[in-house]
Amino acid sequence: PPRMNHHTFLSALHDSISSIPDTTASVIVLGDFNARHSDWYYKDPITSPGRCLADLLDDVGFTQLLHGRPTRFSATGETSSALDLVICNQPFLVHNLTTLPPVSDHCPVVFDVPMQTRPQQ
């Protein structure tokens, strides 16, 4: 959340991920993290929230999947960054990950997740 201290948010995210009882569960977390890291988009500087999020992902074994694409543009279009992230503990689940043209200052992030249906009894 924009007004929440990033340490408080990332601590809550860490606690939430760590509390998942089934370690084999597939988990995808996405959103506007307001965290910049050059590993995710080469034009982004590494900010404190970005470094803390990268450390958290390493700690819990998750991967940030959207690389090399900006997801936010300034009002003038002169600057861009990757703030909208897709984070997953089983990266092979996410297919066709891409961004669409901006609908505001952010680009929609879209992807497919193949789902298995259970046979009806």
Side-chain angles (χ1 to χ4, degrees):
R3 291 179 178 35
M4 182 183 282
N5 174 288
H6 74 272
H7 291 293
T8 303
F9 170 73
L10 293 175
S11 178
L13 179 61
H14 186 280
D15 291 348
S16 295
I17 290 171
S18 298
S19 70
I20 298 170
D22 181 359
T23 58
T24 64
S26 302
V27 179
I28 300 173
V29 180
L30 52 141
D32 179 352
F33 285 84
N34 284 321
R36 292 172 174 83
H37 201 291
S38 57
D39 284 352
W40 308 326
Y41 182 53
Y42 69 97
K43 289 185 177 182
D44 278 343
I46 300 173
T47 60
S48 179
R51 184 175 27 263
C52 291
L53 179 58
D55 291 346
L56 179 148
L57 298 179
D58 286 343
D59 186 47
V60 298
F62 277 48
T63 304
Q64 199 293 114
L65 302 177
L66 189 63
H67 293 276
R69 294 186 189 107
T71 63
R72 184 191 178 277
F73 292 89
S74 66
T76 62
E78 294 177 11
T79 61
S80 58
S81 56
L83 301 179
D84 305 282
L85 307 177
V86 178
I87 297 167
C88 187
N89 64 339
Q90 297 180 18
F92 61 87
L93 291 175
V94 175
H95 299 266
N96 305 315
L97 178 63
T98 192
T99 57
L100 300 177
V103 294
S104 64
D105 59 333
H106 289 263
C107 300
V109 177
V110 295
F111 55 91
D112 297 323
V113 177
M115 305 294 286
Q116 293 181 353
T117 58
R118 295 181 186 171
Q120 293 184 355
Q121 297 181 8

